[in-house]
Amino acid sequence: IFSGFIWMLYVGSHFMIGNIVPYIYSYFPDATESQSQTIFSMVVFITIFANFAGSNLLKKKILSPRTIIAIGGIVGIGGCYVASMT
C-alpha cells in the first residue's frame, strides 16, 4: 500500500508542473519564461517514451511487471534526489 501511495504521488506530480513553473522561473534568474514552460512538454515526452518501452518489455516478457515498476520508481525518485542537489 505504501509503495502504491508513493507511486501515485510521483504520477500525480505531472499535474502540478503548471503550478510550479512560476516558482522555477523566479528561482533561476538566468532562465527565460519559455525555458521554464518547456518542462511540461519534456515530462510528457519522457512519460510517453517510458510507457512505450515498458509496455514492449512486458509484452515480449523480457521483464516482469514488478521489475519494470521498480526501475521506473528508482529512476523517478533518483531524478528527484539528483534535482534536489542543485
Side-chain angles (χ1 to χ4, degrees):
I1 292 176
F2 179 70
S3 61
F5 172 73
I6 296 297
W7 185 252
M8 291 309 293
L9 282 177
Y10 174 69
V11 171
S13 66
H14 294 114
F15 300 108
M16 73 172 192
I17 290 175
N19 295 330
I20 64 171
V21 164
Y23 299 108
I24 295 171
Y25 178 62
S26 67
Y27 186 73
F28 296 104
D30 294 337
T32 63
E33 190 173 352
S34 63
Q35 287 175 333
S36 24
Q37 289 176 348
T38 59
I39 293 171
F40 182 71
S41 58
M42 287 190 293
V43 167
V44 169
F45 175 74
I46 290 170
T47 302
I48 290 169
F49 176 74
N51 286 343
F52 177 74
S55 64
N56 281 326
L57 289 172
L58 183 63
K59 190 179 352 177
K60 295 178 182 177
K61 297 184 181 184
I62 296 172
L63 294 174
S64 70
R66 285 186 180 180
T67 307
I68 293 173
I69 290 173
I71 291 170
I74 290 169
V75 169
I77 293 171
C80 293
Y81 177 71
V82 169
S84 71
M85 292 194 284
T86 59

